[in-house]
Amino acid sequence: MATRASPSRGLHRRDRHYRWTRERVGTVHTVQGREADSVILVLGAPMPTQRGARGWAGGPPNILNVAATRAQENLYVVGSRSAWADAGVFGRLARNWPPASEIREPAE
């Protein structure tokens, strides 16, 4: 006898994925007050015409500080270092955070 998948089963699975995403993914503003072992900060706006957006993000309130203080163990920053180097607090990050090619895993 063939069995049919229940339509409600697919909805439950979708709902579970939606809930997982809502609990773990968001903007800096929506995650204020939450913490996580690891935080991935994705810096978009790489185009020269988006300089104003980068400047806004790098100014007060300090979005970088909010993102960094959510991370309990690891903070990963993804973006164009050269595009963000002149964007307020992100300039300090670009000058002081080593490029990925220079990061070494701790010796065990």
Side-chain angles (χ1 to χ4, degrees), residues 32-81:
Q32 272 187 303
R34 290 194 262 166
E35 293 179 333
D37 289 341
S38 297
V39 170
I40 303 169
L41 177 61
V42 179
L43 302 175
M47 305 301 294
T49 57
Q50 296 171 312
R51 184 176 183 179
R54 292 190 303 270
W56 172 84
N62 190 339
I63 290 175
L64 176 60
N65 184 59
V66 173
T69 56
R70 302 306 99 204
Q72 302 240 314
E73 297 286 330
N74 305 296
L75 174 63
Y76 300 96
V77 181
V78 180
S80 170
R81 182 184 295 258

Side-chain angles (χ1 to χ4, degrees), residues 1-106:
M1 176 186 314
T3 60
R4 291 185 351 190
S6 165
S8 64
R9 190 173 175 180
L11 287 175
H12 176 70
R13 187 174 301 135
R14 244 179 298 164
D15 184 53
R16 189 174 63 230
H17 293 300
Y18 175 78
R19 196 170 40 250
W20 184 94
T21 303
R22 292 284 297 167
E23 291 171 357
R24 290 168 178 82
V25 178
T27 68
V28 169
H29 304 289
T30 62
V31 299
Q32 272 187 303
R34 290 194 262 166
E35 293 179 333
D37 289 341
S38 297
V39 170
I40 303 169
L41 177 61
V42 179
L43 302 175
M47 305 301 294
T49 57
Q50 296 171 312
R51 184 176 183 179
R54 292 190 303 270
W56 172 84
N62 190 339
I63 290 175
L64 176 60
N65 184 59
V66 173
T69 56
R70 302 306 99 204
Q72 302 240 314
E73 297 286 330
N74 305 296
L75 174 63
Y76 300 96
V77 181
V78 180
S80 170
R81 182 184 295 258
S82 61
W84 284 86
D86 65 348
V89 296
F90 292 101
R92 182 178 292 162
L93 176 69
R95 287 187 302 276
N96 294 304
W97 198 312
S101 62
E102 294 178 14
I103 296 175
R104 304 281 185 253
E105 291 295 319

